[in-house]
Amino acid sequence: MMFGVNVEQQPQSATAGPAVPAGPAVSVVVIVYNDEARLPTAVRSVLEQTLRSVEVVIVDDHSADGSYEVAARLAALHPDRVRAYRLPENSGGCGAPRNEGIRRARGAYVLFLDSDDVLERNACRNMLEAAETTGADLVSGLCVRVHVDTRTKKEVKWYPWLYSRTRTLDSVSELPDLLVYDTLSTNKCYRRDFLVEGGLEFPVGIHYEDLFFSAQVYAAARRITLIPNRVYDWNVVERPGAESISNRRAEIANFAHRMEIHRRVDRLLADRGLPELKFAKDVKFLKHDLVLHLRDLPFRDAVYRQEFAALANAYLASIDPAAYDEVEPIHAICAYLLRERDWDNLLPAVDTLTNRDKVSAPMAERDGRIYWCAEHIEEDPFARRILDVTELGYHARPVGKMFLRNELTEYTRPGRSGVVRLAGRVTNPLGVIPPGARLTAELEFYARRPGVRFRTFRVPVAAVRHEGPYVSWEATADIEKVLRPLGIVDAVWDVRLHLGVDGERTSTRLTAAEPGLATGRLPVRPRLTRLVADRVEPHISARGHLAFRLVPDKKANDLVVRGLRGTPGRLAKSGYRKAKALRKKATSGDTKIRLYHEAFLRLPPRRRLVVFESHLGRQYSDSPRAIYEEMRRQGLDFEAVWSYAGRPDGFPSDATLVRRWSLPYLRALARAEFWIDNQSYPLKLTKRPGTTYLQTWHGSALKRMGFDEPSWKLKSRAAQAEQQRTLDRFDRFLIRSEHDVRTLAKAFRLREKALLRVGYPRNDVLVQARGATERPPLAAELGIPADKKVLLYAPTFRQSGQKRFVLPFDVERFAETFGDEYVLLVRAHYLNHVVLPPSVRGRVVDVSGHHDVTPLLALADALITDYSSVMFDYALLDRPMLFFTYDYDAYVHEGRGTYFDLMERAPGPVVRTEDELHAVLAGSSLEEQSVKYAAARERFTAAFGEYDTGTAARRIVDEFFSDWRRK
């Protein structure tokens, strides 16, 4: 039996009989269950719509609280716009009340709203206009997740790329991502006749009803319109009193319902003849739906895991194997290992799934490829494809660059009240920690709250040793003595283990791989008062890591909470927020720039202070390095400051090192007598009039630069003037040929008096190495055999959207073909990153980590490049060059253009394909190439390196710093 409040009474006409009311344009179905407090807000968001022809249909799912009574009062207050109904018994889901709402709706269009959410004020108007304009059965708008329990009410747009613009689709096949990702029913407006005539209803008695309902309407809609307008606010509470149905992932029934819904959607798509949508849905299942539940496996017991695997594998069998190639490797690996029920390898893989940078498997190398594990790959070709992680480059990382899995294997209480015994094993992937390495370790406890994170306590690890593919450790910590929290502001303490390997350190977190391993409370002595809390208990974070959490005394904690909520607490929190905002403002870029101009520039200049920088602080290299080392060689009396952007490793120990953009960096620039760099100091920093800026630049130009670039020409006059002001800071600009005068100097609009025609200091060693027969010591450092020649591949920067640079040729084929004669050095641009498979080890070497390319140029017997400016430097050695311009047309015509045609002036063969590259290398020796292109190289060097005579660094020191020589 259906209960309802009748609001359908209409005025009667004495002469014309009963009036036939015109129905509302839109019916908004508001469903509610045990949510009496928030229901009025949801309904108000409908009543306050800018479109007035809107009715509210409230359907209560037989709540146990006063929700229906609230609904009835709202209907009584707004009898012409609100109707309320109650299901005779609770349905346990959203499907039944929404279906009832469809039946009760009188509007031409229907929307759905949950009682804890709200509609955007113009939602009904915007969606109705779109529907009537385009004739769409379905209009969908932008949903925004509003985190209502955060101070700033953080907002996250729901798949915003789908709603970047207005568009109308004749079929969902035109945009499969719509069905795959936006499966909400609540950010959409449906033509009611479309739903009723098509028999489109929500499934009842099963969770995830939105997924199936959305699939039905997407597949049936003859026209779908998407609008970029915000229409629905999905209010999210991070710590709700009761979890929503979809968040109850600890219940195996939850996952069973998800699998059943997916099977129903698959049958629907098959019946509708939409196999391409099934494939897109398979991809999303692997990288989203399955992942949601996989992340919980470490917290579940063995019984749950087995039931989960049975349910998942029954569905995974229907997944197109090609879908595995469309997801990230770790997603595919987890799905495969789940299929195999390989828990020993799956649970570590889930750890990497949750903690993306973590290396959690020992891995295996076979036939020059790296695999996630040694199991399965011998007998299963599909496993070899899925478990191959060579491209991820794990084998190329040193231990200090790895975040290793550290599985907690023991957590016991030996007897004393505050003492806990901990043990674990750290994954040693591919033996990156050698068996003979000297090992040290310590545990560190640190407060999670950022404001007090500086408080740390350390405990030495008693034993650490090699155990095959792992490093095991044991430690005993007296928590009562070690952990001294303040007691209120630092409630959670994390733990990490610092592992030293021959002096190099890597930090790990303690992963609890099995539920229930860490239990029991331990005493502590808070520094403020024990009344608030004097116990901690082990706590496993959402990422699976061990932490300790203060256990508050209930009465004392209630007093503290009341105090924090009262006037003193509000004042304290307000003061804290203001202090935090002030600190953020004080360290912001704008504040630093103002401090530089208003304070540091007013400090007295510092004579003989020189600030050096190379490639925006990323390297100790290039001409600034050559000038610095010449100044040191001549024994000049000066103060040197080098800037670094990442870590100071590799920078000179006899200089002051400052982090780029730090206050010491800005202070040094403000007071320096000389700036020397090869790219640009921060653009917004004004140079002191007494400072001399030596701009060495970083290469002659093939690509158009500066104001010759189309993008610069399109800038406003103000923007161009601002750019010119930064270029006018250059007091002297190094020139290596008249080509630089016609290109760089002209493009930067430099004055003639700023041009310094001395060549590049970095090239002095190349000029001096011309004709040398002795191989540089770098060859031995790189392990290059004496009987093999060296090829250097140094391409220019590639903007690919990803940091990793994919080589444009098969490096394994190259090694197999030429590995007996050559060693290939690969030097990616410093803004790119390259990964080489271990199969080419010894024949192909990644030298991208070398700060300075000049020693590599001096070592190479021949250069392979494309459009990189290294061609101008390498020409000084008078050695063979090959130009692999596989993307020449796109680079020249679709990019910013070039100053000359490389095809006409290249001092070596120009090839466009990998086969052509092989043919050139196989067709003639380097000696023959050298002779064949000798005249072209001579012309090239004369045109682009006429001032590179090998004395640039000395001439610069003599001109600017000669009076700094020590007496």
Side-chain angles (χ1 to χ4, degrees):
M1 182 178 183
M2 178 66 61
F3 300 92
V5 175
N6 183 8
V7 297
E8 301 183 47
Q9 297 177 357
Q10 300 291 335
Q12 299 292 316
S13 169
T15 59
V20 180
V26 176
S27 295
V28 179
V29 176
V30 181
I31 64 169
V32 60
Y33 176 71
N34 287 353
D35 197 17
E36 58 181 315
R38 292 181 291 189
L39 176 60
T41 302
V43 172
R44 191 181 312 118
S45 77
V46 182
L47 296 178
E48 294 177 354
Q49 287 288 299
T50 54
L51 179 72
R52 298 300 297 168
S53 184
V54 178
E55 71 164 354
V56 183
V57 180
I58 305 174
V59 182
D60 173 59
D61 196 12
H62 205 87
S63 297
D65 68 354
S67 293
Y68 179 67
E69 287 73 19
V70 171
R73 286 198 297 271
L74 290 168
L77 285 171
H78 308 278
D80 57 336
R81 301 191 66 193
V82 179
R83 291 178 292 140
Y85 301 92
R86 189 186 195 197
L87 297 185
E89 60 183 21
N90 179 248
S91 68
C94 300
R98 285 179 181 156
N99 290 340
E100 182 63 26
I102 296 172
R103 287 190 285 270
R104 295 285 183 173
R106 298 180 302 185
Y109 294 88
V110 177
L111 278 75
F112 300 108
L113 173 64
D114 292 345
S115 60
D116 52 347
D117 300 329
V118 294
L119 289 181
E120 194 277 334
R121 191 163 180 264
N122 299 295
C124 291
R125 178 180 297 280
N126 288 331
M127 289 199 281
L128 177 64
E129 288 181 355
E132 292 184 335
T133 300
T134 64
D137 293 325
L138 167 65
V139 175
S140 188
L142 180 64
C143 171
V144 177
R145 287 169 58 95
V146 182
H147 295 257
V148 295
D149 58 350
T150 60
R151 184 174 59 83
T152 59
K153 301 292 188 292
K154 183 181 75 172
E155 297 185 351
V156 179
K157 295 177 180 178
W158 186 255
Y159 300 115
W161 78 84
L162 295 171
Y163 301 98
S164 60
R165 59 185 174 87
T166 299
R167 50 183 160 176
T168 298
L169 314 172
D170 291 326
S171 168
V172 72
S173 297
E174 297 176 29
L175 186 62
D177 278 357
L178 193 60
L179 177 141
V180 172
Y181 291 100
D182 190 0
T183 56
L184 299 178
S185 64
T186 49
N187 61 330
K188 297 172 178 63
C189 174
Y190 312 85
R191 189 166 56 82
R192 185 175 179 276
D193 288 347
F194 161 68
L195 296 180
V196 173
E197 293 168 5
L200 302 175
E201 292 189 338
F202 290 85
V204 177
I206 189 169
H207 305 326
Y208 303 103
E209 53 276 285
D210 267 21
L211 271 68
F212 185 67
F213 178 78
S214 295
Q216 287 185 101
V217 297
Y218 280 140
R222 291 167 298 178
R223 183 165 292 177
I224 302 167
T225 295
L226 309 181
I227 60 175
N229 308 81
R230 178 176 184 162
V231 299
Y232 195 91
D233 283 7
W234 177 358
N235 291 330
V236 180
V237 180
E238 296 294 345
R239 295 175 292 277
E243 289 183 332
S244 66
I245 293 169
S246 60
N247 284 332
R248 297 174 195 162
R249 292 195 293 270
E251 303 170 9
I252 194 64
N254 182 288
F255 187 62
H257 284 210
R258 186 186 285 272
M259 293 298 92
E260 174 59 24
I261 286 292
H262 273 283
R263 281 190 287 270
R264 293 187 188 185
V265 173
D266 290 348
R267 287 196 295 270
L268 170 72
L269 297 178
D271 292 342
R272 295 277 185 172
L274 299 169
E276 70 281 3
L277 295 183
K278 168 66 166 65
F279 181 79
K281 195 179 81 62
D282 285 350
V283 172
K284 191 227 179 182
F285 178 81
L286 291 176
K287 69 181 183 181
H288 176 72
D289 299 79
L290 184 62
V291 167
L292 287 175
H293 295 267
L294 281 172
R295 286 174 175 160
D296 294 327
L297 282 186
F299 306 100
R300 308 289 176 250
D301 59 23
V303 173
Y304 178 96
R305 291 174 185 173
Q306 292 298 334
E307 292 181 8
F308 174 81
L311 289 167
N313 289 346
Y315 186 74
L316 284 171
S318 71
I319 296 287
D320 188 333
Y324 286 77
D325 297 326
E326 302 298 320
V327 301
E328 293 183 34
I330 192 61
H331 293 150
I333 288 168
C334 286
Y336 175 82
L337 294 174
L338 177 62
R339 276 178 37 178
E340 299 300 314
R341 301 197 185 207
D342 182 353
W343 301 106
D344 290 340
N345 286 307
L346 173 59
L347 291 176
V350 169
D351 198 3
T352 294
L353 187 69
T354 304
N355 303 275
R356 285 307 177 85
D357 294 329
K358 186 179 288 189
V359 185
S360 62
M363 302 190 190
E365 182 178 342
R366 298 286 189 277
D367 302 321
R369 306 295 293 176
I370 304 299
Y371 296 93
W372 183 261
C373 56
E375 292 76 15
H376 315 293
I377 58 177
E378 300 298 338
E379 66 276 6
D380 186 355
F382 183 63
R384 283 198 296 276
R385 192 179 97 208
I386 299 303
L387 299 177
D388 189 332
V389 292
T390 309
E391 299 302 319
L392 298 182
Y394 291 118
H395 58 283
R397 299 186 201 173
V399 67
K401 298 285 188 180
M402 288 186 169
F403 175 28
L404 301 175
R405 173 178 164 89
N406 184 356
E407 182 182 348
L408 186 66
T409 57
E410 181 181 352
Y411 181 100
T412 56
R413 305 274 299 279
R416 286 176 291 165
S417 61
V419 176
V420 62
R421 176 180 168 80
L422 303 169
R425 61 177 194 173
V426 179
T427 300
N428 183 15
L430 302 170
V432 69
I433 304 174
R438 179 175 57 87
L439 303 178
T440 58
E442 67 175 1
L443 287 173
E444 180 181 75
F445 299 79
Y446 59 99
R448 180 176 296 178
R449 189 174 184 136
V452 290
R453 191 167 289 173
F454 63 89
R455 296 179 54 76
T456 61
F457 302 98
R458 292 181 173 86
V459 174
V461 171
V464 55
R465 57 185 174 272
H466 295 276
E467 285 189 359
Y470 303 96
V471 170
S472 65
W473 59 272
E474 300 166 4
T476 300
D478 189 337
I479 299 297
E480 187 173 16
K481 293 181 179 178
V482 169
L483 205 60
R484 297 297 309 279
L486 292 173
I488 297 176
V489 297
D490 51 355
V492 180
W493 288 74
D494 291 308
V495 190
R496 59 188 166 201
L497 179 129
H498 298 300
L499 178 65
V501 181
D502 287 334
E504 189 173 9
R505 192 174 86 161
T506 184
S507 296
T508 69
R509 297 291 303 277
L510 278 55
T511 297
E514 295 295 333
L517 177 62
T519 59
R521 296 181 175 180
L522 300 162
V524 292
R525 293 178 295 162
R527 293 179 181 271
L528 294 182
T529 173
R530 290 191 179 190
L531 294 176
V532 175
D534 63 354
R535 293 284 188 277
V536 293
E537 62 184 2
H539 163 68
I540 308 304
S541 73
R543 293 184 177 273
H545 298 142
L546 176 67
F548 289 91
R549 182 168 54 192
L550 281 171
V551 182
D553 175 86
K554 189 175 186 312
K555 291 183 179 179
N557 190 63
D558 288 344
L559 289 173
V560 171
V561 170
R562 282 201 296 272
L564 290 174
R565 289 176 178 172
T567 300
R570 285 196 299 271
L571 291 174
K573 286 187 284 187
S574 175
Y576 172 76
R577 285 195 293 266
K578 289 179 180 177
K580 187 177 179 181
L582 186 62
R583 181 174 61 185
K584 182 178 180 180
K585 183 178 180 181
T587 57
S588 69
D590 289 341
T591 300
K592 287 181 175 179
I593 291 170
R594 190 166 60 251
L595 185 64
Y596 172 86
H597 288 99
E598 296 178 5
F600 292 158
L601 280 182
R602 296 181 180 179
L603 296 173
R606 194 159 184 149
R607 291 194 68 249
R608 302 193 180 193
L609 172 60
V610 186
V611 179
F612 297 87
E613 185 171 285
S614 178
H615 294 300
L616 307 178
R618 293 185 179 93
Q619 300 177 358
Y620 172 60
S621 66
D622 212 79
S623 292
R625 173 178 180 171
I627 295 172
Y628 170 75
E629 291 180 350
E630 178 64 18
M631 293 172 73
R632 287 297 188 202
R633 189 188 66 78
Q634 293 193 25
L636 302 188
D637 181 14
F638 71 106
E639 181 181 354
V641 171
W642 267 94
S643 89
Y644 66 93
R647 298 176 60 180
D649 302 344
F651 284 81
S653 58
D654 55 355
T656 300
L657 307 183
V658 294
R659 185 181 295 276
R660 199 171 196 265
W661 269 113
S662 66
L663 294 182
Y665 171 80
L666 297 176
R667 188 184 302 112
L669 284 176
R671 304 186 68 187
E673 187 172 349
F674 281 87
W675 292 0
I676 301 178
D677 92 310
N678 64 356
Q679 201 155 338
S680 177
Y681 287 109
L683 302 181
K684 294 186 178 181
L685 299 185
T686 302
K687 181 175 65 69
R688 182 193 291 269
T691 300
T692 300
Y693 190 165
L694 297 182
Q695 173 55 256
T696 69
W697 203 241
H698 50 275
S700 296
L702 169 62
K703 301 169 290 230
R704 292 190 177 275
M705 304 290 292
F707 289 102
D708 289 343
E709 291 184 53
S711 60
W712 281 41
K713 293 178 180 178
L714 294 174
K715 290 182 179 181
S716 66
R717 289 185 178 180
Q720 290 191 24
E722 179 65 24
Q723 188 66 45
Q724 189 61 57
R725 279 192 290 273
T726 65
L727 296 171
D728 288 343
R729 296 180 304 172
F730 303 161
D731 293 296
R732 305 306 294 270
F733 187 90
L734 268 57
I735 295 294
R736 54 186 309 227
S737 72
E738 289 304 307
H739 169 76
D740 290 352
V741 177
R742 294 187 298 271
T743 56
L744 290 172
K746 176 177 171 291
F748 293 155
R749 299 176 180 173
L750 301 178
R751 297 157 299 184
E752 173 63 30
K753 67 177 184 179
L755 306 184
L756 192 61
R757 291 171 169 83
V758 295
Y760 282 174
R762 73 182 186 195
N763 288 338
D764 290 348
V765 295
L766 299 180
V767 175
Q768 295 158 13
R770 179 169 177 157
T773 57
E774 186 177 348
R775 178 169 281 185
L778 180 59
E781 294 177 27
L782 296 175
I784 298 175
D787 61 339
K788 291 189 179 181
K789 290 184 172 61
V790 178
L791 300 177
L792 173 64
Y793 178 54
T796 192
F797 172 65
R798 288 299 194 286
Q799 186 71 55
S800 63
Q802 297 180 347
K803 190 174 182 181
R804 190 166 71 84
F805 172 60
V806 179
L807 291 173
F809 57 90
D810 185 337
V811 70
E812 290 178 295
R813 177 192 173 196
F814 191 98
E816 187 66 28
T817 304
F818 301 108
D820 292 337
E821 183 178 0
Y822 300 110
V823 170
L824 178 67
L825 306 182
V826 176
R827 212 267 187 175
H829 189 277
Y830 67 88
L831 293 175
N832 290 135
H833 173 63
V834 69
V835 172
L836 299 176
S839 58
V840 301
R841 191 182 290 125
R843 296 173 293 175
V844 184
V845 182
D846 179 16
V847 291
S848 304
H850 285 248
H851 273 198
D852 203 341
V853 70
T854 304
L856 299 172
L857 296 175
L859 172 63
D861 295 298
L863 172 71
I864 304 173
T865 187
D866 44 19
Y867 325 101
S868 172
S869 64
V870 297
M871 69 174 79
F872 303 109
D873 304 317
Y874 193 78
L876 299 170
L877 290 163
D878 193 30
R879 298 175 190 172
M881 284 188 278
L882 291 79
F883 296 85
F884 184 25
T885 58
Y886 59 92
D887 56 352
Y888 183 81
D889 293 332
Y891 189 88
V892 172
H893 301 300
E894 297 175 16
R896 62 197 195 205
T898 60
Y899 284 116
F900 61 88
D901 189 342
L902 182 63
M903 295 291 188
E904 294 180 359
R905 304 189 68 172
V910 180
V911 297
R912 304 287 288 270
T913 68
E914 181 177 353
D915 288 340
E916 290 177 2
L917 176 65
H918 280 235
V920 169
L921 289 171
S924 60
S925 66
L926 293 184
E927 290 76 12
E928 292 171 325
Q929 287 284 337
S930 180
V931 172
K932 181 177 181 180
Y933 288 94
R937 284 198 307 278
E938 185 176 354
R939 290 192 299 270
F940 193 81
T941 304
F944 301 110
E946 59 187 298
Y947 300 128
D948 277 320
T949 60
T951 60
R954 179 171 55 80
R955 291 177 62 184
I956 289 171
V957 172
D958 289 346
E959 180 171 346
F960 294 98
F961 309 111
S962 58
D963 59 341
W964 291 5
R965 292 190 176 94
R966 299 180 190 275
K967 305 300 182 185

